[in-house]
Amino acid sequence: MTTFDNALTNAAARDVSRSDVEDLLYYEAKLLDEWQLDQWAQLYTDDAEYLIPANDLPDGDEKRDLLLVHDNKFRLLARVDRLKSRKAHREYPHATTRHQVTNVRIESQKPDEVCATAYFTVWRFREGRDDHYVGRYDYRLRRLDGILKIRYKRAVMDMTVLRPAGAVSIIL
């Protein structure tokens, strides 16, 4: 069991602290930057949702409005498989990324769910080009078998357009 797993297991016996949430979000960022996508996907519950709303409607209703990404766990795993394959031309060879997570806050806490927010900047470097994505994460976290997991992640970008990046081909 890693230090990270120990911290999350200890969180099961008490209220989740901001430090517990930061540990999870920083670990998620590390896994993404190291392209350890299979391990990253295991941070999510089986009923997880991963969303990126359209830039022109960042606070839209995911049941009614267009989203750039709206993955459940099955689609999230398919995204991981696709990104690891040579067929993912925008990400093969893999881009170098740096996920920076800041201003982590717990918004509310119930016995079965923690709602948290954080700000992000994600840098993507590939073929002499660098792109960046800036915004806010909204999380709903849940304890499962004593471990803190991600039930819901919404990455709301601050940019009004995706240029110069043009697309979101990485996992924010």
Side-chain angles (χ1 to χ4, degrees), residues 45-50 70-78:
T45 63
D46 289 341
D47 62 343
E49 288 182 274
Y50 169 67
H70 190 181
D71 288 352
N72 59 18
K73 183 74 177 254
F74 176 79
R75 287 191 300 259
L76 189 140
L77 292 170

Side-chain angles (χ1 to χ4, degrees), residues 29-35 95-101 120-125 131-133 137 170-172:
K30 175 187 183 297
L31 293 177
L32 289 170
D33 289 341
E34 294 176 357
W35 283 85
T96 299
T97 62
R98 288 295 170 252
H99 289 72
Q100 299 171 331
V101 180
F120 70 85
T121 303
V122 179
W123 292 91
R124 178 183 176 272
F125 304 95
D131 301 312
H132 63 279
Y133 307 86
Y137 290 136
I170 57 170
I171 297 170
L172 295 180

Side-chain angles (χ1 to χ4, degrees), residues 4 27-28 31-32 34-44 73 77 80 84 149:
F4 171 75
Y27 186 60
E28 178 188 28
L31 293 177
L32 289 170
E34 294 176 357
W35 283 85
Q36 294 180 24
L37 301 181
D38 291 315
Q39 294 91 323
W40 168 78
Q42 296 313 307
L43 296 177
Y44 285 74
K73 183 74 177 254
L77 292 170
V80 165
K84 292 183 340 185
K149 297 231 177 196

Side-chain angles (χ1 to χ4, degrees), residues 58-89:
D59 294 318
D61 179 356
E62 62 240 25
K63 294 177 181 25
R64 179 185 77 227
D65 299 317
L66 176 67
L67 301 169
L68 297 176
V69 174
H70 190 181
D71 288 352
N72 59 18
K73 183 74 177 254
F74 176 79
R75 287 191 300 259
L76 189 140
L77 292 170
R79 182 178 301 279
V80 165
D81 286 344
R82 205 169 34 257
L83 283 170
K84 292 183 340 185
S85 116
R86 297 181 134 234
K87 296 177 185 173
H89 299 293

Side-chain angles (χ1 to χ4, degrees), residues 2-43:
T2 68
T3 303
F4 171 75
D5 292 331
N6 282 334
L8 293 183
T9 301
N10 291 337
R14 59 174 166 70
D15 281 347
V16 175
S17 71
R18 185 184 71 214
S19 178
D20 297 327
V21 174
E22 287 173 337
D23 286 347
L24 175 60
L25 303 190
Y26 296 161
Y27 186 60
E28 178 188 28
K30 175 187 183 297
L31 293 177
L32 289 170
D33 289 341
E34 294 176 357
W35 283 85
Q36 294 180 24
L37 301 181
D38 291 315
Q39 294 91 323
W40 168 78
Q42 296 313 307
L43 296 177

